[in-house]
Amino acid sequence: MPCYVKKMLVLAGTLLVINAPAEAQSRKKAKGTPAPVASVKTDQTDSLALRKIFDEALLRGESYDNLRYLTGTIGPRLSGSPQAQQAVDWGKATMEKAGFDRVYLQEVMVPHWVRGSKERGEIIGNKDKGVRVPVCALGGSVSTGGKLKAGVIEVHSLEEVKNLPEAAVKGKFIFYNRPFNDALIEPGAAYGGAVDQRANGAIEAAKRGAVGALVRSMTSARDDNPHTGTMRYAEGVAKVPGAALSTNAADRLSQLLKANPDLQFELEMECITLSDEKSYNVVGEIKGSKFPQEIITVGGHLDSWDLAQGAHDDGTGCVQSIEALRLLKAAGFKPERTVRAVLFMNEENGTRGGNEYARLAAQNQETHLAAIESDGGGFTPRGFTVEGDPATVAKLARFAPLLRPYHAADVTAGHSGTDIEPLQAAVHPKALIGYKCDSQRYFDIHHTAADTFDKVNRRELELGGASMASLIYLLSKYGL
Amino acid sequence: MPCYVKKMLVLAGTLLVINAPAEAQSRKKAKGTPAPVASVKTDQTDSLALRKIFDEALLRGESYDNLRYLTGTIGPRLSGSPQAQQAVDWGKATMEKAGFDRVYLQEVMVPHWVRGSKERGEIIGNKDKGVRVPVCALGGSVSTGGKLKAGVIEVHSLEEVKNLPEAAVKGKFIFYNRPFNDALIEPGAAYGGAVDQRANGAIEAAKRGAVGALVRSMTSARDDNPHTGTMRYAEGVAKVPGAALSTNAADRLSQLLKANPDLQFELEMECITLSDEKSYNVVGEIKGSKFPQEIITVGGHLDSWDLAQGAHDDGTGCVQSIEALRLLKAAGFKPERTVRAVLFMNEENGTRGGNEYARLAAQNQETHLAAIESDGGGFTPRGFTVEGDPATVAKLARFAPLLRPYHAADVTAGHSGTDIEPLQAAVHPKALIGYKCDSQRYFDIHHTAADTFDKVNRRELELGGASMASLIYLLSKYGL
C-alpha cells in the first residue's frame, strides 16, 4: 500500500482550536452576565491542553510498561491471593513514584476462593470412549467432592428449568447452552443477554434437584477457552458445582446429546472457599487548587480472575487510571478540583472494594463531583457512557467536540462501572462515567487464559488513558 | 465484570428507524415539488434494510471463512507468483459460488520480483564480533551481488543526503532512520510522513555515490519484524540495493554508530526482477434493475507482499468486497444500479490492475457513479473517506445517521484507495471512497511476516463488509 495517505489531511500533531458555533453564540448571548460556576463553555486553551495531554501519552506514556509489569511479572491476582497483595504493593509504589500529593490504602476484607489444581470434564457415551472437553470452575463454585458423573439436560434459559418436571432433572446436570446473540452490535449487550445462565444457573438447577450446572462460555467466539466468572448461591438452596464449557465443547456436548440423550458428563473440580482475607484499595490523590473539597475519582479494578494475566480485565483500567493523573502532572496542569486514582480490590467476585470506597466517602462526608471507571478493556477509544440526569449527560456531551480529534467523542447515557456505582447511594455524585472503548474483541478473551498482555496495543491503551485525563481536565476546570 | 451491561440500552437487534430532524424539515420544504433523481433523502425502510444487511453479516457472514482460505491455504501472493494465480482462481470460484450475474477476469501483465532465499544483515564493529540484525529486501530492490560490506551514514531525511559532501557518502550505506511521528493520532499520517525514505531513499543515496540504502521499518512498534514495501529507481541513476531494518535493529545500529562511527554493515540479498507475468483482476457483477449502465465498484487488492499471508493487507478488503455483494443478495435486495466487486491485482508494486481496470472502463465508455476500496485493514469500522467535490462529500455525509448504530458514521473528505484512483482521470466517477476502519494496530504488522489471519477479528471483519454493503445499498438506491 504505497500511497495510503497521499491526500490525507494531517490534522493531528498540529494545534487544533475548536470553536463550535453554538458555543460562540451562547457566549455572545451571555455577554455582561457572569458565567455560572458549573458552566461547561469551553475556551480555546482547552484544545491546546488536550493536545498536550495526548502528546505526553503518545510520546512518553507509561501505561504500557506499567501493564507489562502488572500482567507479566505479577500475573493473575484474584482477591485474597498473594499476587493480589503484590499488586497492591505495586500500585502504591507506582503512584508514589508518580509523585501524587497523597497515596494511601483502604483496608477491606475480601473473599478468598481457590480453584484448586484439578479441573476435568468428560462426555461419556454408552459405548464410546469418553471425550475430554475444556472446562473451568465458575468463580465461587463448590467442589465436586471427587468425580461427579451424571446425565445431562440441555436448556436455553433459567425459565426452562423452572418448568421442567423435577423427576427429569433430579440427579442430573443442567446444561445451559443459550449462545450470545451475535446480531447485537455491542458485544456487551450480548453478554448481558446471556450471563444470567452463569450467574444464577446453579441456583435454579439445585432448586429442581440437579447435581450441578454446566454453562456455555460467555463469548461469541468459537474456540477451546472456557470462560470463568462469578456465580451465585442462594440461602436455603443446595450449593451445587458450576462449571463453564468452552463454546466448542458446548457445541460438541449439544451435538452428542442429540444422538444420545442418555450420555453422561463427568466433572471433577477441587475448588474451595477459604476465610476472608485482608486486602486493600489503593488510592492516589492530587489536591485541587481551587476546590479541593470537590472530588473526581478515576479507577479500574486491581483484582483479576485467576486463569490469566487480567490484561484487558482490568489491568488496562488500573494503569490508565494512574496514567490519567500522571499525564495531568506531566503536561503541567494543576487540577482545580481534587482528582483521585483508585485501584479497586475485588470487583470480580464481591465488589467489596467499591462498596468500601463508597462507605468511607459517606463516613468522611466527602463531596464527589464525578467518578470515571475503565473496565471494558484497553482497546481503541470511542468515548464515555454516563449515568446521571439528562441535563448532566447533555453537559458532558458538550465536551465532545474537543474529544473528536481523538475519536473519543461518543458521549451518551449508559452504564458506568461496577466499582463506582456504590457511590451513587452513598454520596450522590452528579455523574458516574464509564470509559468506552471499542469492544468487538473483548469477549473473545474475557475471563480466560487468553487475556494476556500481547492482546493490548500500546497506542490504543495510551489513547484511552489520555482520553480519560482529558475528561478529568475538563471536569476539573468546569465542574458539572 | 459481572454487571457490565446492567443499564446498557439494547439498541441493536431491534428496529432502528432514524428520522434526522434536518431530513424531515427538508422534506417538508420540498412538498409538492418532485424529488430530484440524485436525491439523498433517505426513507424509513432504509434503516430496516441496513439492519437486515448487518444481521446477515453477523449471523451468517462468509468473509471470515473466505479469509481463512485465502490467507491460510493460499498464503502470500505477490504479483507474478504461483500463489497470486491461485488467488485469482479462488476469487473467481468464490464469486461464481456466490451466484453473481457475471464473473470474469481482466488480463494484465504484472511485475515479477522475487526475494530469493538469502537475506542477511550484520553490524560489524572494529574489534567486536558482528551483530546479526533482522533485515528484508524492499520490494523491487536489486540484489547485493554477494556480500556487500560498507560504512554507514545515518540520516533523517532525503534532504539531508542531498546536502552531504559526496566524499562522505561515496562507497557507504545511507541509513534512513527518521521514525514515525508517534504524536499523530492517525497512524496513516505517520506512515505518510516517513515513507519517502523507503520509496526514494535508494535513488537519493545512489545520486551521491552510496552503495545502498538501509531504511528504518515503517512502524511505530518496537520489535524485530522488518517491514518490506515498494521502493523506486530512477532513470539515469544507479540501482543500489534497498533493505528495511526492524525498528529494534535500527535503534541498535544508531546506538552503535554513536559509539563507533566507523563501523561497517554487511548486507546480502539475492533478489531479482524477472520478466513480467500474465495475471488478472477478478470481477463479479450484479446487474442494476433500473439503471444498469451506472456502475458502483467495490474492491480490494488480491496481491500481497511475499513475507506473510497478507491478511489485513489486503485479504480483508477482498473478502469484504465479495461479501458486500453477497450480503445484498442474501438480504433480498436487487440493486437499482450495477454493482461490481473487483479484486485488483498488483496494488503493492505497480498498480497495474487498477490502471487496467480504469483503462477498460474508459475504452468501454462505462459510466461510473462511485467506487469504494477497502485497503486499510479489516479492523472495527469508523466510516468512509471521500474524494469528490464538497457537495458530493456532503451528500454522502447525509447517510451517516443510518450508519451511526454500526459505528460507521464518520464520513469525511479524505484518501480513497490506490486501485480506484485511476478511475478519476479515466471515467470521472462522482465519488471515490475509502472504507475507513480503526487503524491503530495496522502498521504494527503492515508488510511483515506478522500480517496473519489470527490478527483479524471475525466480528470486526464482518461489520466492515456490512458497512460497505450498506453504503452500496444507499448509493444504488439514491445515486449521487
Side-chain angles (χ1 to χ4, degrees), chain A residues 65-79:
Chain A
D65 284 340
N66 281 340
L67 185 67
R68 189 197 311 272
Y69 188 91
L70 178 61
T71 58
T73 305
I74 297 176
R77 45 197 181 279
L78 187 59
S79 288

Side-chain angles (χ1 to χ4, degrees), chain A residues 1 4-5 12 51 182-184 186 188 192 348 375 380 382 387 407 415 438 440-441 444 457 459-460, chain B residues 1 4-5 7 51 182-184 186 188 192 348 375 380 382 407 415 438 440-441 444 457 459-460:
Chain A
M1 208 192 53
Y4 178 77
V5 285
R51 186 62 247 187
D182 274 348
L184 297 175
E186 307 296 343
E348 292 294 3
D375 184 21
T380 201
R382 289 284 188 193
E387 294 181 52
H407 302 301
H415 171 67
D438 190 84
Q440 296 302 330
R441 293 169 179 245
D444 290 0
N457 175 273
R459 288 179 55 88
E460 292 182 356
Chain B
M1 208 192 51
Y4 178 76
V5 285
K7 294 172 191 175
R51 186 62 248 185
D182 274 349
L184 298 175
E186 307 296 342
E348 292 294 3
D375 184 22
T380 200
R382 290 284 189 193
H407 301 302
H415 171 66
D438 191 83
Q440 296 302 330
R441 292 169 180 245
D444 290 0
N457 175 275
R459 287 179 55 87
E460 293 182 357

Side-chain angles (χ1 to χ4, degrees), chain B residues 66 88-105 281-285 298-299 302 318 321-323 325-326 329 340-344:
Chain B
N66 282 339
V88 167
D89 297 340
W90 164 86
K92 186 160 177 283
T94 305
M95 289 194 196
E96 282 167 350
K97 202 184 132 216
F100 299 160
D101 296 338
R102 196 177 154 220
V103 179
Y104 56 99
L105 304 180
N281 295 327
V282 185
V283 186
E285 209 169 277
V298 59
L302 198 48
C318 290
S321 297
I322 299 171
E323 184 74 357
L325 268 63
R326 194 198 69 79
K329 268 182 73 83
R340 263 193 209 156
V342 183
L343 313 183
F344 295 96

Side-chain angles (χ1 to χ4, degrees), chain A residues 358 387-388 420-432, chain B residues 7:
Chain A
E387 294 181 52
I420 58 176
E421 279 180 337
L423 284 173
Q424 190 56 58
V427 291
H428 319 293
K430 288 216 173 144
L432 295 174
Chain B
K7 294 172 191 175

Side-chain angles (χ1 to χ4, degrees), chain B residues 56-73:
Chain B
E56 178 65 29
L58 289 168
L59 297 174
R60 291 170 294 276
E62 298 184 2
S63 302
Y64 194 63
D65 284 340
N66 282 339
L67 185 68
R68 189 197 309 273
Y69 187 91
L70 178 62
T71 57
T73 305

Side-chain angles (χ1 to χ4, degrees), chain B residues 25-85:
Chain B
Q25 281 181 358
S26 85
R27 253 197 300 279
K28 232 182 239 171
K29 275 182 206 158
K31 204 180 171 183
T33 57
V37 174
S39 164
V40 290
K41 285 168 199 152
T42 60
D43 65 40
Q44 295 193 4
T45 63
D46 294 327
S47 59
L48 304 183
L50 265 54
R51 186 62 248 185
K52 229 174 155 182
I53 289 168
F54 276 87
D55 278 352
E56 178 65 29
L58 289 168
L59 297 174
R60 291 170 294 276
E62 298 184 2
S63 302
Y64 194 63
D65 284 340
N66 282 339
L67 185 68
R68 189 197 309 273
Y69 187 91
L70 178 62
T71 57
T73 305
I74 298 177
R77 46 198 181 278
L78 187 60
S79 289
S81 68
Q83 291 93 334
Q85 182 55 44

Side-chain angles (χ1 to χ4, degrees), chain B residues 118-182:
Chain B
K118 192 173 277 180
E119 262 182 346
R120 221 180 124 273
E122 191 168 345
I123 305 169
I124 299 169
N126 288 341
K127 20 191 175 173
D128 314 323
K129 261 190 69 178
V131 178
R132 282 285 295 274
V133 291
V135 296
C136 71
L138 296 177
S141 175
V142 296
S143 95
T144 54
K147 289 177 183 173
L148 178 61
K149 192 166 149 186
V152 178
I153 308 280
E154 177 175 344
V155 298
H156 289 80
S157 70
L158 300 173
E159 207 54 42
E160 202 178 330
V161 180
K162 290 177 191 161
N163 296 327
L164 282 173
E166 201 164 323
V169 176
K170 206 166 170 62
K172 296 200 172 154
F173 283 109
I174 294 290
F175 167 36
Y176 295 93
N177 196 28
R178 185 168 87 257
F180 268 29
N181 178 355
D182 274 349

